[in-house]
C-alpha cells in the first residue's frame, strides 16, 4: 500500500507499507526458490538478498541467504525540490526512513 500527500507546495509526503507471507497448500516445506529474498526493494542500501536469515553453517554466511516465508516493511519519505536546480531536470531531494 502507498499513500502520497502534498504537504506544502512542491513538497510531497509518502508512506509505504509492504508485506508478504507464503506457505504451501499441502503442508510440505517450501522450496528455497519459493522463499522471499529481500534487499533494496525493502530497505535502501542493502544488497540483493542482503536481508534475511542465513545459513551460518557455511564458512561465508554473507553469500548463503536461505530466504524467509514472511516479511513486513515500511517507508516514510518527504520529497522536495532542490534549490538552484532547474525543475526541468526532474531531480528532487528526499529524506526517508525505511524499516
Amino acid at each position: 500500500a502507498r499513500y502520497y500527500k502534498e504537504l506544502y507546495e512542491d513538497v510531497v509526503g509518502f508512506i509505504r507499507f509492504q508485506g508478504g507471507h507464503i506457505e504451501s497448500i499441502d503442508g510440505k516445506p517450501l522450496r528455497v526458490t519459493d522463499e522471499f529474498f529481500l534487499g533494496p526493494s525493502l530497505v535502501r542500501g542493502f544488497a540483493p538478498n542482503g536481508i534475511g536469515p542465513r545459513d551460518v553453517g557455511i564458512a561465508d554466511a554473507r553469500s548463503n541467504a536461505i530466504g524467509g516465508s514472511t516479511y513486513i516493511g515500511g517507508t516514510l519519505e518527504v520529497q522536495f525540490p532542490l534549490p538552484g536546480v532547474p525543475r526541468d531536470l526532474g531531480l528532487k531531494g528526499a529524506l526517508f526512513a525505511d524499516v
Side-chain angles (χ1 to χ4, degrees):
R2 295 178 185 198
Y3 178 74
Y4 294 85
K5 173 134 176 97
E6 186 173 32
L7 304 173
Y8 304 102
E9 186 178 336
D10 294 331
V11 178
V12 176
F14 165 62
I15 297 172
R16 177 180 63 184
F17 173 78
Q18 58 183 323
H21 177 76
I22 187 170
E23 59 185 64
S24 65
I25 295 172
D26 57 8
K28 293 181 181 176
L30 293 171
R31 299 175 301 177
V32 171
T33 56
D34 294 330
E35 302 279 354
F36 295 112
F37 291 87
L38 300 169
S41 65
L42 185 65
V43 179
R44 289 170 262 204
F46 279 82
N49 303 334
I51 300 173
R54 305 273 180 207
D55 183 357
V56 295
I58 307 296
D60 184 10
R62 291 176 295 156
S63 62
N64 297 304
I66 59 174
S69 60
T70 303
Y71 78 95
I72 58 171
T75 297
L76 292 172
E77 184 173 317
V78 176
Q79 299 175 355
F80 51 88
L82 294 170
V85 176
R87 294 182 88 177
D88 296 345
L89 291 178
L91 297 175
K92 296 180 182 179
L95 296 174
F96 65 87
D98 293 333
V99 294

